[in-house]
Amino acid sequence: MPVTDDGGLERILDLHTIAVVGCSTTPGKAAHDIPAYLQRHGYRIVPVNPFADEILDETAYDTLAAVPDSIDVDVVNVFRPSEEAGGIVDSAIERAGRLGDVSAVWLQLDITDDEAGARAADAGVDFVQDACMKVEHRRLVG
């Protein structure tokens, strides 16, 4: 069951380190501006983009699996098409099981995968889909 209640969203927004899969190097794109907003509000951003070495002054990694184990990833925020979400969620679940660090997966607006959400819930990982992390942060945290 996806997290949809304000209390659950606030619990996720209280976390600190966000791996952004599909983070963009291009200002003006949501996949760049939303992580930049979150970074300005105190979150550590870990960009995941196979076509960049650095985004937002942070080292970028080719895949979620390539993010070093020494980085505690709390949330995996996804800016990739719905067709790709399931594989990313599975990678987050694998990391959570192996390292115990990923607490939540957040699919941005218009990105959904109910089956992946069920797998995340079964693994004890919070799951949000079709919601903007920036919008919810502004609404709930300010």
Side-chain angles (χ1 to χ4, degrees), residues 59-140:
T59 300
Y61 300 94
D62 289 350
T63 63
L64 182 59
V67 175
D69 292 354
S70 59
I71 297 174
D72 287 330
V73 173
D74 300 316
V75 181
V76 176
N77 185 220
V78 180
F79 284 90
R80 298 298 304 150
S82 294
E83 311 78 77
E84 296 179 26
I88 297 165
V89 171
D90 291 341
S91 182
I93 291 168
E94 187 279 328
R95 185 179 176 103
R98 188 168 51 82
L99 298 175
D101 61 349
V102 177
S103 298
V105 176
W106 189 304
L107 307 185
Q108 283 294 132
L109 275 175
D110 300 323
I111 305 170
T112 61
D113 188 327
D114 292 335
E115 291 177 8
R119 292 193 303 274
D122 288 346
V125 175
D126 285 336
F127 180 79
V128 177
Q129 64 180 352
D130 192 22
C132 178
M133 201 168 203
K134 177 181 174 180
V135 168
E136 296 304 328
H137 180 271
R138 278 185 170 165
R139 185 174 71 82
L140 295 168

Side-chain angles (χ1 to χ4, degrees), residues 9-56:
L9 296 174
E10 286 174 336
R11 183 177 65 249
I12 296 168
L13 292 168
D14 278 345
L15 300 171
H16 177 71
T17 303
I18 304 169
V20 181
V21 179
C23 193
S24 176
T25 59
T26 308
K29 288 182 106 176
H32 177 87
D33 292 351
I34 293 167
Y37 166 89
L38 294 168
Q39 188 181 56
R40 287 192 307 272
H41 285 83
Y43 294 93
R44 178 178 182 194
I45 299 300
V46 180
V48 177
N49 179 327
F51 304 106
D53 294 326
E54 186 178 278
I55 304 172
L56 301 171

